[in-house]
Amino acid sequence: MEKKTETGVSRRQYAAHRGVSHTAVAKALATGRITAEADGSIDPVKADRQWDAATDPAKQRGIHALNRPLK
């Protein structure tokens, strides 16, 4: 069971924050797109910066695609 920790949030909590599935978060962790803290939790501010820096805006879906500038 995942729960909130002192330094961050669980994978499921971060997924809800980000508006993606928990499997998308697991894949992002596995591929190095985002990193977890030493205790396994995710710092949402740090992970958001990492996710945005490592994501091609043209490939975003969902709510994050709506934040793209229009051409």
Side-chain angles (χ1 to χ4, degrees), residues 1 15-17 20 24 27 30 37-38 43 57 60-62 64 67:
M1 181 175 191
H17 158 80
V20 299
K27 182 178 177 184
E37 299 299 306
D43 176 341
Q60 287 187 336
R61 291 184 264 174
H64 296 287
N67 294 327

Side-chain angles (χ1 to χ4, degrees), residues 16-39:
H17 158 80
R18 188 80 193 165
V20 299
S21 69
H22 71 277
T23 54
V25 173
K27 182 178 177 184
L29 286 163
T31 60
R33 179 184 284 174
I34 63 172
T35 56
E37 299 299 306
D39 65 357

Side-chain angles (χ1 to χ4, degrees), residues 6-58:
E6 295 296 322
T7 60
V9 298
S10 72
R11 289 179 183 192
R12 288 183 188 273
Q13 289 169 320
Y14 181 66
H17 158 80
R18 188 80 193 165
V20 299
S21 69
H22 71 277
T23 54
V25 173
K27 182 178 177 184
L29 286 163
T31 60
R33 179 184 284 174
I34 63 172
T35 56
E37 299 299 306
D39 65 357
S41 68
I42 299 171
D43 176 341
V45 174
K46 178 178 160 186
D48 282 347
R49 280 194 308 261
Q50 292 172 334
W51 192 299
D52 291 340
T55 301
D56 180 353

